[in-house]
Amino acid sequence: MVFYHDIKKLPTDVRRRLLERLLLLRESLDEEIPERTQKETLLLATWNIREFDAPDYGERMEEAIYYIAEIIDRFDLIAIQEVQKDLRGLERLMKVLGGYWKYIFTDTTKGSRGNDERMAFLYDSRKVTHGGLAGELVLPPIKQPDGTLKPVTQLARTPFICGFRSGWTKFMLATVHIIWGTGEAEPEVRVKEIRQVAQFLHERTEDETAWARNLILLGDFNIFRHDDETFKELLKAEFVIPEQIQELPPTSVAKPRFYDQIAFRIRKDSLDMTGKAGVFNFYKTVYRDEDEALYAPHMPEAYKTDKDGNPRSDAYKRTYYRSLWRTHQMSDHLPMWVELRIDYSDEYLKYLQRKLDEGS
């Protein structure tokens, strides 16, 4: 449950806008996302929250933190990418979410390719428990013909895997932020990273010593289209991406690209989809296209003038607001979610009944 008590401390004009938009956002969430249940289902999501929280375009407004918290609170468990080295943004978010929400995050990935980013899992501890497993994935060396081992180049941003329990279900959750490389749809460096992590996790689920046989791989894969080699690498590793997810709209705000994905290697008798999934477009209710004038006073000087002090054109200011400033308030990605079934009471009781009938 989101804690709203500090809203009263905000300036009157901000408070009025925030309350109005929160009500609209809640109405939209009610329409699009299933109601959370106590034990029958699990709502799982993934969201790349752009540079959370870097001050490049000014610190995120308190208003934005409330909107982000309101969205996250509709799920039971969510993977977040692009958490920054400075954790103030995450701490602000957790304060608004309240004490039931817990989080696990990685250390920063160093180097220019890693961008000092962290990965994080946020979960409602009333519904989900951390099973103890937590680790950053390290790719093993490759055995050479002469028997020696050759180290491999690790992924630019180290994937994060944790074990969780909810209801009757035990599963591993691995989140990634695959390297961008170039603006092309299928640069070899991106294809290679997806291939490496997918094959590695495929082998992990085949290992009887794995913490769980159920595995969900999710995050920002920078996949353009479903017929690209980047997407096919997931399928080659025998991950299943259900039709309900493949039919969803793009998660990229700027272009029709399917950057974010949720892929499965699961046992159907202990974890399964209900058939419900979605991509939530928050820009229909908050930081809307038509709201530019409302936020003009909050944007940096670069919105108004160039480096020489010349006034910006209306077209430039419109692009600045839509593509840069507001995406650093909310994100340039939309959250993707899926509903999973986690209650298998009937199946277990029927199994016991069959065993009894068989004389066991």
Side-chain angles (χ1 to χ4, degrees), residues 247-282:
E247 293 171 354
L248 293 176
T251 53
S252 169
V253 170
K255 297 179 180 180
R257 294 176 178 172
F258 301 86
Y259 289 151
D260 306 277
Q261 296 292 329
I262 304 176
F264 300 85
R265 279 185 58 78
I266 58 177
R267 293 166 48 195
K268 294 293 184 181
D269 60 345
S270 60
L271 187 64
D272 200 4
M273 283 188 62
T274 66
K276 297 178 181 179
V279 169
F280 182 70
N281 185 359
F282 43 81

Side-chain angles (χ1 to χ4, degrees), residues 90-360:
L90 185 59
E91 296 292 353
R92 291 170 68 197
L93 173 63
M94 298 305 297
K95 180 181 177 182
V96 175
L97 282 171
Y100 289 122
W101 278 89
K102 307 298 181 185
Y103 61 134
I104 309 170
F105 56 86
T106 66
D107 198 358
T108 55
T109 302
K110 305 302 291 184
S112 58
R113 299 196 316 163
N115 200 32
D116 273 339
E117 290 181 21
R118 305 175 188 267
M119 308 272 190
F121 292 119
L122 277 61
Y123 60 97
D124 187 331
S125 62
R126 296 170 297 179
K127 181 76 167 289
V128 179
T129 58
H130 177 224
L133 172 70
E136 297 180 53
L137 297 185
V138 178
L139 300 175
I142 300 174
K143 189 172 184 178
Q144 302 300 299
D146 62 359
T148 60
L149 297 177
K150 179 182 179 181
V152 300
T153 300
Q154 299 298 317
L155 274 66
R157 304 176 183 94
T158 309
F160 189 33
I161 186 167
C162 285
F164 293 98
R165 298 178 188 269
S166 186
W168 286 65
T169 302
K170 176 182 177 182
F171 59 94
M172 296 185 293
L173 199 61
T175 183
V176 298
H177 186 186
I178 297 298
I179 192 169
W180 174 253
T182 68
E184 302 170 6
E186 304 169 287
E188 177 54 32
V189 63
R190 195 184 310 154
V191 173
K192 182 179 179 181
E193 280 205 348
I194 296 177
R195 179 189 306 126
Q196 287 177 311
V197 73
Q199 292 292 340
F200 176 85
L201 290 172
H202 172 275
E203 294 176 11
R204 195 73 192 100
T205 55
E206 294 294 309
D207 188 340
E208 293 184 357
T209 66
W211 185 82
R213 300 301 293 275
N214 293 319
L215 171 69
I216 304 171
L217 173 60
L218 75 176
D220 179 3
F221 293 83
N222 279 314
I223 290 172
F224 283 24
R225 297 177 298 272
H226 291 142
D227 58 354
D228 288 345
E229 189 59 36
T230 46
F231 185 84
K232 293 176 183 176
E233 288 296 339
L234 294 173
L235 304 182
K236 289 178 182 178
E238 298 181 332
F239 277 89
V240 174
I241 303 177
E243 289 185 10
Q244 295 96 328
I245 291 178
Q246 295 192 43
E247 293 171 354
L248 293 176
T251 53
S252 169
V253 170
K255 297 179 180 180
R257 294 176 178 172
F258 301 86
Y259 289 151
D260 306 277
Q261 296 292 329
I262 304 176
F264 300 85
R265 279 185 58 78
I266 58 177
R267 293 166 48 195
K268 294 293 184 181
D269 60 345
S270 60
L271 187 64
D272 200 4
M273 283 188 62
T274 66
K276 297 178 181 179
V279 169
F280 182 70
N281 185 359
F282 43 81
Y283 285 126
K284 293 187 298 183
T285 54
V286 302
Y287 293 99
R288 302 171 304 182
D289 290 350
E290 60 267 34
D291 290 339
E292 179 184 345
L294 289 175
Y295 293 108
H298 301 281
M299 284 186 266
E301 188 62 31
Y303 165 76
K304 304 171 186 176
T305 60
D306 63 21
K307 61 182 180 179
D308 297 319
N310 300 312
R312 299 288 196 185
S313 67
D314 289 344
Y316 178 91
K317 289 194 288 187
R318 183 165 54 250
T319 299
Y320 186 98
Y321 165 70
R322 294 181 181 180
S323 301
L324 296 175
W325 186 80
R326 74 170 181 176
T327 61
H328 281 83
Q329 292 295 316
M330 295 297 291
S331 184
D332 54 349
H333 288 240
L334 304 175
M336 172 184 280
W337 61 269
V338 63
E339 185 182 57
L340 302 171
R341 182 181 171 218
I342 58 171
D343 183 3
Y344 291 85
S345 305
D346 286 345
E347 285 83 350
Y348 183 66
L349 291 173
K350 290 175 182 177
Y351 163 77
L352 292 179
Q353 189 177 54
R354 288 195 305 272
K355 299 296 286 185
L356 181 61
D357 291 342
E358 294 168 359
S360 301

